[in-house]
């Protein structure tokens, strides 16, 4: 029996540790050849001996299990680095089929305390990083399609966050970048569907090195139990979205953690007002909108904070 991703090649960014590592291992388990990208460089172990870069360690782990993998060290927020990453997948495996954008950083601070660099760095790594790799992957798929290749296969899985959905007060940079990623995803889904490509976004909740402070108050699992915030709860959904079985899933947003997957519906218009004249005046809007909002729950915003209460069962 063939594996669902057999014969396909994938890129996973930020895959040296945490969520990206779990995703790369899952894609390899399902049969994909994987380019493991991470910014982390080689270092020194406790004895002072040279140690491999995290991406190289994950690639070696995949190969040791009988899979195919190569490492790529570089920052995907750099345009030319992203080009080289896609080129590496094509040169090593003949083509690119799956792109999983996971790389990210945190620089949490309230909006009134945030520095320009804290804003720019998070938006650059998350949002620009997603764009960079998506751009070069899209060029690859479109070029193959335009050349007359039939059955071009493309899957993009982007990483958004509940911080965007719920409006995380202490993460204005992160929430904005993750919201932008959803916009990039839905735009890409519409633009690339004609070439045999799907694009979807996930909002994972996982305890990783990047989020250890965020989830410090969630408690540790009992001995022998799988942590509800383990990245292993997220990786199977990425494997599914990367597979042929998910051909009918495009432009979607899904929340995943702790043995649960929730499909997030698109925004809906809750009220509509028409002017009684040719154009609205301040007074007319005051007469319509002020009582409308006065009748709604206090403190309610566009943010969907209820997603934070989702759990299995």
């Amino acid at each position: 029996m063939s594996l669902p991703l057999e014969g396909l090649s994938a890129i996973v960014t930020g895959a040296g540790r945490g969520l990206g590592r779990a995703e790369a291992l899952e894609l390899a388990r399902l049969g994909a050849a994987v380019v493991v990208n991470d910014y982390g460089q080689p270092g020194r172990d406790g004895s002072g001996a040279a140690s491999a870069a995290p991406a190289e360690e994950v690639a070696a782990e995949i190969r040791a299990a009988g899979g195919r993998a190569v490492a790529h060290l570089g920052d995907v927020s750099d345009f030319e680095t992203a080009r080289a990453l896609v080129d590496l997948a094509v040169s090593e495996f003949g083509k690119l089929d799956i792109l999983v954008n996971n790389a990210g950083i945190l620089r949490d601070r309230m909006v009134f305390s945030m520095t320009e660099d804290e804003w720019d760095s998070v938006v650059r790594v998350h949002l620009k990083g997603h764009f960079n790799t998506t751009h070069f992957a899209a060029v690859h798929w479109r070029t193959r399609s335009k050349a007359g290749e039939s059955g071009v296969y493309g899957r993009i899985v982007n990483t958004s966050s509940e911080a965007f959905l719920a409006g995380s007060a202490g993460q204005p940079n992160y929430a904005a970048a993750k919201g932008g990623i959803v916009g990039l995803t839905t735009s890409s889904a519409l633009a690339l569907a004609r070439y045999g490509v799907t694009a979807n976004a996930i909002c994972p909740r996982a305890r990783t090195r990047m989020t250890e402070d965020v989830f410090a108050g969630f408690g540790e699992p009992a001995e022998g139990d799988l942590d509800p915030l383990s990245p292993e709860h997220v990786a199977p959904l990425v494997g599914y979205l990367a597979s042929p079985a998910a051909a009918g899933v495009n432009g979607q947003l899904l929340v995943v953690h702790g043995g649960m997957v929730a499909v997030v519906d698109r925004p809906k218009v809750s009220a509509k007002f028409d002017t009684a004249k040719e154009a609205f005046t301040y007074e007319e809007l005051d007469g319509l909108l002020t009582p409308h909002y006065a009748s709604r729950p206090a403190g309610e915003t566009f943010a969907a904070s209820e997603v934070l209460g989702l759990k299995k069962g």
Side-chain angles (χ1 to χ4, degrees), residues 141 154-157 188-189 192-193 196-200 241 243 246-251:
W141 290 318
R155 297 285 188 270
I156 301 170
V157 182
S188 300
L192 300 177
V197 179
T198 67
N200 295 286
L241 292 173
S243 76
V249 184
N250 193 29

Side-chain angles (χ1 to χ4, degrees), residues 14-277:
R17 299 182 178 90
L19 188 55
R21 173 182 175 275
E23 293 167 345
L25 293 175
E26 177 69 1
L27 294 182
R29 187 187 73 81
L30 295 175
V34 184
V35 179
V36 181
N37 160 266
D38 197 85
Y39 185 58
Q41 302 296 313
R44 299 280 175 180
D45 62 20
S47 67
S51 61
E56 293 170 336
E57 292 177 345
V58 175
E61 188 176 353
I62 291 171
R63 292 193 296 269
R68 299 173 65 198
V70 295
H72 175 272
L73 310 185
D75 179 1
V76 292
S77 70
D78 178 79
F79 197 64
E80 291 306 317
T81 297
R83 183 200 303 271
L85 173 58
V86 171
D87 286 348
L88 176 62
V90 175
S91 64
E92 284 288 328
F93 304 125
K95 58 186 172 59
L96 173 65
D97 302 294
I98 300 159
L99 170 63
V100 179
N101 283 310
N102 167 76
I105 61 172
L106 289 179
R107 299 291 185 269
D108 293 351
R109 205 177 296 275
M110 300 295 283
V111 69
F112 43 77
S113 302
M114 183 163 289
T115 66
E116 181 181 19
D117 181 66
E118 288 167 341
W119 173 272
D120 288 348
S121 60
V122 167
V123 172
R124 183 181 70 250
V125 173
H126 287 273
L127 185 52
K128 189 186 177 193
H130 272 61
F131 161 73
N132 287 346
T133 53
T134 297
H135 168 76
F136 289 111
V139 169
H140 170 69
W141 290 318
R142 183 175 181 269
T143 299
R144 288 167 53 194
S145 179
K146 291 289 188 181
E149 181 178 339
S150 62
V152 173
Y153 184 101
R155 297 285 188 270
I156 301 170
V157 182
N158 288 333
T159 306
S160 183
S161 171
E162 293 169 294
F164 149 66
L165 289 170
S168 180
Q171 298 179 301
N173 48 2
Y174 184 71
K178 291 305 191 181
I181 285 168
V182 173
L184 172 64
T185 302
T186 54
S187 174
S188 300
L190 292 174
L192 300 177
R194 70 182 69 179
Y195 305 118
V197 179
T198 67
N200 295 286
I202 63 171
C203 294
R205 191 185 299 180
R207 197 192 310 269
T208 67
R209 189 177 67 162
M210 188 179 85
T211 62
E212 59 186 354
D213 292 336
V214 176
F215 295 126
F218 278 69
E220 297 291 335
E223 186 174 351
D225 292 344
L226 179 63
D227 186 350
L229 296 179
S230 168
E232 279 67 33
H233 286 295
V234 177
L237 177 61
V238 173
Y240 167 74
L241 292 173
S243 76
V249 184
N250 193 29
Q252 302 299 310
L253 178 65
L254 302 98
V255 176
V256 55
H257 58 80
M260 179 219 72
V261 173
V263 177
V264 180
D265 204 359
R266 66 186 187 275
K268 293 184 170 129
V269 176
S270 65
K272 175 178 174 289
F273 302 95
D274 296 322
T275 180
K277 306 170 185 179

